[in-house]
Amino acid sequence: MKHTLCLILVLLAATGAAYDMSTVRSEGLGGAIALSRPTATDLTELPVASLPEGRLLIDLGAMRQYELSELDQAFLAFAGRYRLLTTAVSVSFFGDEDLLLERTSKLALAATHQHYHLGATISHRHLSFGGGFESLSATTFGLAAAFHWRPIHLALVGDNLSRPRLHQAAPPEEPRYSLFAEIEGRGSYSVVARATAQTNQDLQLAFGQLVQVTDYGLIFWGIATQPMKYGGGIQLTYGPTLITYAASCHPDLGFSQTISLSFAFGAKAAAPNTKAWLP
């Protein structure tokens, strides 16, 4: 069992999304992101998402992948905007220290000029193995640009642009390019989508929706292709505190569940129905 689990861990760690952070809502949205209302973890992945000036966000969460406690992941993220500059930092821990423990840290920066946002990310990944084996690490960067003109939001992101590799003998991670989109509806809902392309990989598509059902709660759902996954979740708000739960289902590996406790301080977006919508 230990050898099988170790193999699963290594295979999961070797995926093209290994430099990504877990984001609770995107897990339920099939990988899409609400560009108009990002969380702190969203901003570490996509710093060009729209964040009001003077806003500070904190995310603390955990994820159980495929119903296996050995694959539990914990993460912490901070994000804020001061004048025209948005900054986000995050760290996550994944795996079992007796087998394989992965630490991923990210720094994201973005500058805003009217409807246009430009940003960059730096990601560092460190793998340590049980049994006294040598640890591995790699660093990479990404670039992003976005256009926000309500109710339309668009973002283009390039990740793994330095083609990082954990070992000289290992194949490099190929750059990955994603297009994000969001359309805010006239009512209390929003539609989001994502398309991701990477060398030697099939085009991945995702589509989702967020619906505010009360002043203090919203629900969301999403589907994704390659592989086909579906998910959903709920977000509840009480003052500056938010609790978000999301679940997704992989066709072969089963369910993954994520929960986070978030805090939001400072200015809110100048938009209606933001009690539960805005993190």
Side-chain angles (χ1 to χ4, degrees):
M1 176 62 185
K2 238 184 176 183
H3 290 83
T4 302
L5 180 57
C6 187
L7 177 60
I8 293 174
L9 285 166
V10 172
L11 290 175
L12 288 172
T15 62
Y19 294 85
D20 293 345
M21 295 291 298
S22 293
T23 65
V24 179
R25 282 201 315 217
S26 68
E27 183 67 26
L29 290 168
I33 289 178
L35 294 169
S36 66
R37 301 290 185 268
T39 64
T41 46
D42 288 338
L43 286 162
T44 62
E45 292 299 309
L46 195 60
V48 293
S50 181
L51 184 67
E53 183 181 354
R55 195 68 165 163
L56 173 65
L57 306 177
I58 303 172
D59 279 357
L60 175 64
M63 178 180 186
R64 172 156 292 183
Q65 298 186 74
Y66 314 128
E67 302 180 356
L68 294 173
S69 61
E70 293 86 353
L71 303 185
D72 285 351
Q73 181 177 21
F75 55 88
L76 175 65
F78 299 86
R81 178 177 167 186
Y82 178 71
R83 296 186 177 179
L84 302 180
L85 181 65
T86 297
T87 305
V89 294
S90 63
V91 61
S92 70
F93 302 89
F94 162 80
D96 186 331
E97 61 182 359
D98 294 328
L99 297 175
L100 180 151
L101 180 63
E102 176 180 329
R103 302 176 183 88
T104 302
S105 54
K106 300 198 72 168
L107 170 65
L109 298 171
T112 302
H113 177 67
Q114 297 180 352
H115 302 295
Y116 303 95
H117 297 232
L118 293 175
T121 62
I122 298 176
S123 306
H124 180 76
R125 183 181 174 209
H126 180 87
L127 276 67
S128 57
F129 303 90
F133 291 98
E134 181 183 359
S135 62
L136 303 173
S137 63
T139 302
T140 187
F141 73 95
L143 298 174
F147 174 75
H148 300 279
W149 191 8
R150 306 186 79 158
I152 297 173
H153 307 266
L154 298 171
L156 180 63
V157 183
D159 293 311
N160 300 338
L161 296 182
S162 64
R163 302 181 78 235
R165 63 177 76 202
L166 289 168
H167 190 272
Q168 291 182 350
E173 298 277 3
E174 295 296 336
R176 187 176 71 251
Y177 302 96
S178 298
L179 176 64
F180 294 85
E182 178 187 359
I183 299 178
E184 297 181 82
R186 292 181 178 273
S188 302
Y189 73 92
S190 186
V191 175
V192 296
R194 175 179 180 172
T196 299
Q198 189 174 22
T199 302
N200 300 324
Q201 299 289 334
D202 293 328
L203 180 67
Q204 294 179 314
L205 301 175
F207 176 84
Q209 185 180 35
L210 302 94
V211 181
Q212 185 169 333
V213 293
T214 73
D215 285 345
Y216 301 96
L218 66 87
I219 58 175
F220 51 92
W221 63 269
I223 58 174
T225 65
Q226 305 302 331
M228 179 64 71
K229 294 174 60 177
Y230 58 90
I234 185 171
Q235 178 177 295
L236 301 175
T237 304
Y238 183 76
T241 306
L242 296 93
I243 299 175
T244 307
Y245 169 81
S248 64
C249 183
H250 188 282
D252 299 316
L253 300 176
F255 280 92
S256 296
Q257 302 181 73
T258 311
I259 189 168
S260 73
L261 178 65
S262 305
F263 303 93
F265 306 98
K268 292 186 177 181
N273 302 321
T274 58
K275 288 183 179 179
W277 190 263
L278 183 63

